[in-house]
Amino acid sequence: MTTRTADHPAHPAAPGTLFTGTGSLLRFMLRRDRIRFPGWVLGLTLMMVYYSAALNSVSQSPEDLEGLTAFSDSPVGALFGGPGFGYDELTVERFLAGQYGLYMLLGAGLMGLLTVVRHTRAEERTGRAELVRANVVGRHAQLTAALLLTALMGVLVALLVGAVMAGNGYDAGGSLLFGLSIGAVALAFAGIATVTAQVSEYPRASAGLAGAVLGAAFLLRGLGDMAAVQGSGPAWLSWLSPLGWSQQTAPYVHDRWWPLVISLAFTAVTAAVGYTLSTRRDFGAGLLPPRPGSPRAAGWLAGPLALAFRLQRASLIGWSAALLVSGLAYGSFTQPMLDGFANAPEDLVAVMGGSADLLAGFLGLMGLTMAFTVTIFAVLAVHALRAEETDGRAEPVLATAVGRRAWIGSHLAVTAAGVPWLLFVAGAGMGVGAAVSTGDAGLVGDLVVGHLAHTPAVWLVLAAAAGLYAAVPRALPAIWAVPGYAMLVGFFAPILDIPAGAVRLSPFEHIGEYPLDGVSVAAVLVLTVFAAAVTQAAVAAFRRRDLSSTA
């Protein structure tokens, strides 16, 4: 006797069953994120409170606002802020939205993509999603709940930021539009993360792909805005960036609401693609299957240092490529930037280092910018180290002859070695771009030296991150305050009149911005020794605490 299956395909699930349990999962996610949720929302809101208070304290007269215009209505100001709508009649609220708004947009983008990856791909990787799906839960419930959670965070950020701006006496409609433009970026990158979460089976790779899109969005927006300010070049590039869409709303100037429709449509399309792709892969797998490894491990893999390098190899390759391309792109704007600064005002000269040598000032500022970017790599590497522990992969390694000192030390050593390499790649790329733009081949060497000089400062931030991870792992996200503060001081200290003592708190303010300033050998040595001491303390702290199996 034989049997045969039915000729007709199985009936698809009813649409309602695909989302069964979404509400329960959303409540569960809110419970899990009881610290992260207010941390993101209040953190972004308080950032806007600080920006507003600081700017109001230094802008007491029309002359003060004219000084701000000098920096913002320039190619460098466009790169670090945006297109600068309404700067011909600048007001405090226009400067806040046009210059500082970009950093709010970047924070919202990170919030959106990290939240979605955390509650989708990371849940599958740890096995918790499989236990959840064993209950009465629809296939799309988890992804839908993650998107709803991100949307709730974005809406709260939008309302709170709008309330902060309106509370300062600024136009209520413009304030609401400004807040909603920030929330729209969170939604746009949540949509991007729904797609990248289907591509790879590893949460780190999924977040990395979404983060690469965020970096590309910043690059496209920067190039487009610089071209728009100069009056020539591909200004249309800004319209290829979700960051650019929000900036084009131009709150307090044009008050355009329609660019938000682009962001919402983009979110809907990317989310729909994510839903579709999730039905075309096996649970726990990615659309791109991992490459099968060799049946025999290579001899060089015998040791914790080699394992740490193998785990970080893909990240190093990706960051190297991104920094090289970014350096070439920004370096190619060197000569147009100089042509646009023929009669630079004193306030802009102060931002560029306080020297009439605008070329050296620009190159020094770009070296500092790339140092901040590499700092993000270093901090993310420590977060990845924590993920190795919480995901249960560190414990099997430590169960062998590998000690705790060797395990954490190997990972930190690979990251520390990657810092000067990435700075070298960024400096070489920018040097080549600047040399082609200006015809001065000597800029290649200057930029490589200027970038590498920031290595000890990045090492110190890496050591501080390692210290938090080793001693108080749950407090590790607090390390982002260090590069955030350093960026604020490095870019805006001259125009915000930040006290010298507060400026010196940043580790990046001691070495010098070569070629504008000479490299302080003493500062290099002190920061290196300090970083080494903090790293040793971190290793010692890690040896004394218990391993953790939960994030």
Side-chain angles (χ1 to χ4, degrees):
M1 180 178 178
T2 61
T3 59
R4 61 193 296 267
T5 58
D7 294 331
H8 57 80
H11 292 289
T17 63
L18 294 175
F19 302 95
T20 300
T22 299
S24 298
L25 284 176
L26 178 58
R27 290 191 295 271
F28 173 69
M29 291 176 184
L30 287 169
R31 175 70 176 81
R32 282 198 66 206
D33 281 6
R34 60 190 182 278
I35 296 177
R36 291 173 181 265
F37 188 107
W40 275 111
V41 172
L42 295 179
L44 290 174
T45 304
L46 291 175
M47 186 186 302
M48 201 67 239
V49 171
Y50 172 79
Y51 287 153
S52 178
L55 192 59
N56 279 311
S57 67
V58 300
S59 302
Q60 304 294 333
S61 66
E63 290 75 19
D64 295 330
L65 291 177
E66 291 177 3
L68 297 177
T69 305
F71 168 72
S72 304
D73 195 18
S74 66
V76 175
L79 172 62
F80 294 117
F85 293 108
Y87 282 8
D88 51 341
E89 297 180 5
L90 188 63
T91 60
V92 172
E93 62 267 31
R94 289 179 177 180
F95 185 81
L96 283 170
Q99 197 68 34
Y100 293 139
L102 175 61
Y103 302 96
M104 300 292 294
L105 299 179
L106 289 172
L110 283 172
M111 178 184 72
L113 69 91
L114 291 175
T115 300
V116 170
V117 172
R118 167 178 166 81
H119 291 291
T120 55
R121 175 54 66 180
E123 290 295 284
E124 288 189 43
R125 186 63 184 169
T126 58
R128 287 190 291 263
E130 187 172 10
L131 296 175
V132 170
R133 286 202 181 185
N135 293 281
V136 185
V137 174
R139 184 184 187 97
H140 295 328
Q142 189 149 20
L143 179 55
T144 304
L147 288 173
L148 289 174
L149 176 65
T150 308
L152 180 59
M153 296 170 74
V155 169
L156 285 177
V157 168
L159 294 177
L160 289 174
V161 170
V164 168
M165 300 295 283
N168 286 326
Y170 309 141
D171 177 68
S175 298
L176 178 60
L177 177 60
F178 178 54
L180 290 176
S181 69
I182 296 171
V185 170
L187 291 177
F189 282 94
I192 290 170
T194 63
V195 177
T196 62
Q198 317 307 322
V199 175
S200 173
E201 66 181 72
Y202 300 105
R204 189 187 310 173
S206 299
L209 287 173
V213 177
L214 179 60
F218 181 87
L219 176 62
L220 290 172
R221 178 219 56 82
L223 295 176
D225 289 348
M226 289 175 73
V229 168
Q230 292 175 163
S232 62
W236 52 268
L237 288 175
S238 297
W239 288 98
L240 300 180
S241 167
L243 302 176
W245 301 335
S246 287
Q247 288 188 319
Q248 290 297 326
T249 58
Y252 308 112
V253 184
H254 302 304
D255 286 340
R256 302 171 181 151
W257 291 83
W258 61 265
L260 297 182
V261 178
I262 303 177
S263 298
L264 294 177
F266 178 80
T267 302
V269 170
T270 51
V273 171
Y275 280 119
T276 302
L277 294 179
S278 69
T279 64
R280 300 179 183 275
R281 64 175 179 86
D282 292 333
F283 180 80
L287 293 172
L288 296 180
R291 186 177 60 182
S294 172
R296 293 179 177 273
W300 63 271
L301 281 174
L305 185 62
L307 175 62
F309 172 74
R310 178 65 181 82
L311 291 174
Q312 297 191 48
R313 183 177 62 182
S315 177
L316 285 168
I317 293 174
W319 276 89
S320 298
L323 288 172
L324 179 62
V325 172
S326 300
L328 288 169
Y330 288 138
S332 64
F333 269 82
T334 301
Q335 189 58 52
M337 184 277 304
L338 294 176
D339 294 339
F341 287 167
N343 298 306
E346 293 182 1
D347 295 281
L348 180 57
V349 172
V351 173
M352 303 291 282
S355 170
D357 189 352
L358 289 176
L359 175 60
F362 173 73
L363 298 180
L365 188 63
M366 293 309 299
L368 183 64
T369 302
M370 288 301 181
F372 293 147
T373 306
V374 176
T375 302
I376 296 175
F377 156 79
V379 174
L380 288 176
V382 179
H383 277 274
L385 184 61
R386 172 156 165 72
E388 288 292 303
E389 178 185 349
T390 57
D391 291 347
R393 292 187 292 271
E395 192 169 359
V397 176
L398 294 172
T400 65
V402 177
R404 289 195 175 202
R405 178 186 293 273
W407 183 76
I408 188 175
S410 297
H411 282 273
L412 294 178
V414 171
T415 305
V419 168
W421 163 252
L422 292 177
L423 288 171
F424 168 79
V425 170
M430 189 167 293
V432 171
V436 172
S437 177
T438 62
D440 184 0
L443 294 178
V444 178
D446 289 341
L447 278 163
V448 169
V449 172
H451 281 63
L452 287 174
H454 293 290
T455 299
V458 182
W459 279 346
L460 183 56
V461 179
L462 170 62
L468 279 176
Y469 162 66
V472 192
R474 288 185 177 273
L476 178 57
I479 192 61
W480 290 109
V482 177
Y485 178 80
M487 290 176 66
L488 175 67
V489 169
F491 295 151
F492 302 112
I495 61 177
L496 292 180
D497 293 334
I498 297 178
V503 172
R504 285 194 292 270
L505 292 176
S506 169
F508 297 89
E509 296 299 321
H510 301 277
I511 294 176
E513 297 179 14
Y514 188 86
L516 178 64
D517 306 316
V519 177
S520 173
V521 178
V524 168
L525 294 175
V526 170
L527 289 175
T528 302
V529 171
F530 194 21
V534 175
T535 301
Q536 288 297 321
V539 172
F542 180 70
R543 295 179 64 189
R544 290 193 296 268
R545 73 167 174 83
D546 294 333
L547 293 180
S548 174
S549 58
T550 58

